[in-house]
Amino acid sequence: MKVVVIGCTHAGTAAIVNTAKLYKDAKITVYERNDNISFLSCGIALYVGGVVKDPLGLFYSSPEKLKELGAETKMKHEVLDVDLDKKTLKVKNLETGETFEDNYDKLIITTGSWPIVPKIEGIELENILLSKNFYHSNTIIEKSRDAKNIVVVGAGYIGVELAEAFETNGKNVTLIDSQDRILSKYLDKEFTDLAEEELKKHGVRLALSQSVIRFEGENGRVERVVTDKGTYDADLVILCIGFRPNTDLFKGKLNMLPNGAIIVDEYMRTSKEDVFAAGDSCAVFYNPIKKHEYIPLATNAVRMGTLVARNLIKPTTRYLGTQGTSGIKIYDLNIAATGLTENMAKYYGLETESVLIEDSYRPEFMPTHEKAILKVVYEKTSKRILGSQILSKVDLTQMMNTASVCIQNDMTIDELAFVDFFFQPHFNKPWNLLNIAALNAI
Ligand SMILES: Cc1cc2nc3c(=O)[nH]c(=O)nc-3n(C[C@H](O)[C@H](O)[C@H](O)COP(=O)(O)OP(=O)(O)OC[C@H]3O[C@@H](n4cnc5c(N)ncnc54)[C@H](O)[C@@H]3O)c2cc1C
């Protein structure tokens, strides 16, 4: 069996490692246009902020390691075209310029995503950077060294993490977003109010409810960011306004969402036989709304890549869908969320109710006890749990993994009230915070 994999970061590496393990006779060829594999982008802000000192720790695989498994990794090779009927590919060796054809029995698409670059006046100016891969992280570090004023455009997870990292490095940081709140897709206002306060307390300037209309520069280098509400000095700008799937090669050839995310079934099969896909190039089945959505996360990528391998010969292991569970640390605040916020549930047209509690995470008789706020969002009629959020100075983020399991299994708020959780005064109260929230709701 000849297996060709296009793209080798998280989804690709997971697919290759597991295919090599499961099918000893498989001949695996990997095409990757970059010159490194398996870079953990989640480490970029930590690297920029100096928490991670050695960037090599942000890689967990290499062409040599894949070779040991029997996979041939062709680095700096870009796949230019794919004929899904003839099962052939056109590949370019980016070092020599040579193009050649290859063929496959099974094709695995793990071409991932790329940051959205808006068509805004001045976007071509120097020092307007993206944040996705190893090169970006090195360029950001190099260019930020002498920068005084840094503007981050986009207050999602990546933008917020970078804003904190730059501020920690002593820079004047402005975080711009067109929404009126940071992290507005992941958290409701009760949580973003506290997170915004934390950023402001440390001197990060928030420029919310405003859209960038142009970048201005001198001698080809960015100097200012102009929004519909103000002008901000900038020696460096990082664009973090989202991602789009890297799937132009397959446009019109495979079923996709309107944004180009490939739709796969529960066995990671695309609409074409023998063609599988995983990771940021794909849509995922989003359990809270029971539909496909575009939620690019490393968690989805490694899961889907692993499942491709298991289902390559015959449908064997089903994908259970996702809740888009995520976490972030903003200075001292540990925050996590799963499923839908109340706000996003409205966006999807769901009628919801919610419960918000504030409580100490462990008994007040203990020498220390921190407050936590926790919210659960559920469907009004069915009582099905749709989402949950937590914030505290102690790390209670794992509770959102528990809530994720509840959503995945279609549990109701009534059931959550009486789920068995352990109690031990070091860690929690006789009623776990998730129990308490649910008890308050029913
Ligand atoms: C700054 C940052 C922080 C993040 N933090 C987190 C986090 O904390 N938690 C989390 O879960 N997720 C996080 N993510 C998201 C996570 O990094 C992505 O979901 C993950 O990288 C997706 O992996 P992938 O393999 O599907 O795609 P990608 O990482 O996009 O890799 C695709 C690969 O395909 C190659 N490729 C594409 N087209 C071709 C072609 N035609 N020929 C050859 N090669 C090709 C590309 O060069 C690339 O190496 C973060 C992302 C960023 C940018």
Side-chain angles (χ1 to χ4, degrees):
M1 176 175 66
K2 185 165 177 193
V3 181
V4 167
V5 182
I6 314 176
C8 191
T9 308
H10 306 307
T13 306
I16 296 155
V17 169
N18 286 285
T19 299
K21 202 166 78 186
L22 291 173
Y23 317 104
K24 298 292 174 211
D25 63 332
K27 182 179 178 313
I28 306 168
T29 307
V30 187
Y31 293 111
E32 169 54 60
R33 64 179 168 208
N34 222 325
D35 69 357
N36 60 69
I37 65 174
S38 82
F39 176 67
L40 288 159
S41 319
C42 57
I44 294 181
L46 295 167
Y47 181 30
V48 170
V51 178
V52 169
K53 307 278 183 231
D54 178 8
L56 296 182
L58 298 175
F59 295 89
Y60 57 89
S61 191
S62 64
E64 294 73 31
K65 280 192 186 160
L66 297 183
K67 198 176 172 65
E68 280 168 27
L69 298 172
E72 188 184 4
T73 312
K74 302 236 185 217
M75 305 299 290
K76 295 216 130 203
H77 279 67
E78 179 166 10
V79 174
L80 299 179
D81 200 6
V82 184
D83 187 326
L84 299 180
D85 294 320
K86 291 190 185 141
K87 295 190 163 187
T88 56
L89 312 93
K90 190 173 155 197
V91 185
K92 183 175 185 179
N93 179 333
L94 298 175
E95 268 171 345
T96 63
E98 175 210 3
T99 57
F100 59 91
E101 209 173 81
D102 197 359
N103 56 67
Y104 61 85
D105 299 313
K106 306 276 181 186
L107 179 68
I108 303 177
I109 302 167
T110 45
T111 47
S113 61
W114 195 248
I116 294 169
V117 181
K119 287 192 181 104
I120 294 177
E121 188 186 331
I123 191 81
E124 71 294 340
L125 288 166
E126 207 186 304
N127 282 12
I128 299 178
L129 307 178
L130 304 176
S131 173
K132 164 82 181 171
N133 60 28
F134 185 49
Y135 295 103
H136 295 150
S137 67
N138 287 332
T139 312
I140 291 171
I141 288 179
E142 187 197 312
K143 301 249 183 193
S144 66
R145 227 167 254 140
D146 299 324
K148 201 167 140 228
N149 301 305
I150 302 183
V151 171
V152 178
V153 184
Y157 277 102
I158 295 167
V160 169
E161 285 179 349
L162 278 174
E164 177 180 337
F166 289 133
E167 185 283 321
T168 308
N169 288 347
K171 312 295 176 187
N172 298 325
V173 184
T174 305
L175 181 58
I176 298 178
D177 202 292
S178 55
Q179 298 297 312
D180 59 354
R181 298 183 296 113
I182 65 164
L183 299 167
S184 59
K185 272 202 249 165
Y186 314 97
L187 299 167
D188 281 318
K189 192 169 181 326
E190 303 90 333
F191 296 78
T192 53
D193 279 354
L194 296 170
E196 287 172 8
E197 210 40 58
E198 191 73 6
L199 286 165
K200 284 194 266 184
K201 199 172 86 189
H202 285 86
V204 174
R205 174 162 57 172
L206 299 182
L208 303 174
S209 304
Q210 48 195 293
S211 302
V212 176
I213 50 175
R214 86 180 159 269
F215 298 102
E216 291 178 351
E218 268 149 48
N219 303 320
R221 243 179 69 173
V222 72
E223 296 270 336
R224 282 169 301 278
V225 180
V226 182
T227 73
D228 49 5
K229 294 227 175 105
T231 300
Y232 304 95
D233 287 341
D235 314 311
L236 186 66
V237 174
I238 317 288
L239 287 179
C240 308
I241 59 171
F243 293 88
R244 65 170 209 89
N246 238 335
T247 54
D248 288 353
L249 279 177
F250 307 99
K251 225 173 228 165
K253 299 178 184 174
L254 296 174
N255 284 351
M256 293 176 176
L257 290 185
N259 77 337
I262 298 168
I263 296 176
V264 288
D265 69 6
E266 53 199 343
Y267 298 105
M268 305 296 105
R269 298 176 293 194
T270 67
S271 49
K272 191 83 186 169
E273 207 180 344
D274 292 328
V275 180
F276 296 74
D280 280 15
S281 59
C282 297
V284 287
F285 193 79
Y286 190 37
N287 288 321
I289 56 167
K290 310 273 183 212
K291 279 190 191 140
H292 283 92
E293 247 309 352
Y294 189 57
I295 306 178
L297 280 173
T299 47
N300 292 331
V302 291
R303 251 193 312 265
M304 294 171 90
T306 303
L307 285 170
V308 165
R310 287 180 182 234
N311 295 310
L312 210 50
I313 308 288
K314 62 175 183 0
T316 306
T317 314
R318 277 179 52 233
Y319 184 48
L320 300 173
T322 179
Q323 284 67 252
T325 310
S326 58
I328 185 168
K329 188 164 170 64
I330 305 178
Y331 296 100
D332 287 339
L333 301 181
N334 302 291
I335 306 172
T338 184
L340 293 172
T341 62
E342 211 173 349
N343 209 37
M344 287 307 288
K346 259 193 213 117
Y347 167 83
Y348 286 113
L350 292 164
E351 214 183 330
T352 61
E353 286 189 334
S354 71
V355 57
L356 179 83
I357 58 157
E358 180 174 333
D359 203 343
S360 305
Y361 80 102
R362 64 180 188 179
E364 286 75 5
F365 63 71
M366 292 298 281
T368 60
H369 45 87
E370 278 291 346
K371 286 256 176 273
I373 63 165
L374 184 148
K375 182 168 181 173
V376 183
V377 179
Y378 53 99
E379 202 171 24
K380 191 170 178 185
T381 42
S382 70
K383 305 267 184 176
R384 184 168 68 93
I385 300 167
L386 299 172
S388 189
Q389 301 152 65
I390 194 161
L391 178 151
S392 177
K393 285 189 178 164
V394 284
D395 179 8
L396 303 173
T397 52
Q398 290 298 326
M399 275 197 204
M400 290 304 101
N401 282 336
T402 309
S404 169
V405 177
C406 298
I407 301 170
Q408 186 160 306
N409 290 296
D410 285 331
M411 278 180 66
T412 63
I413 190 83
D414 300 17
E415 288 169 330
L416 181 62
F418 295 100
V419 168
D420 172 45
F421 295 119
F422 81 91
F423 160 55
Q424 210 290 328
H426 280 291
F427 308 112
N428 56 9
K429 290 183 164 181
W431 286 104
N432 182 284
L433 290 179
L434 282 166
N435 291 138
I436 297 174
L439 280 166
N440 273 280
I442 62 174

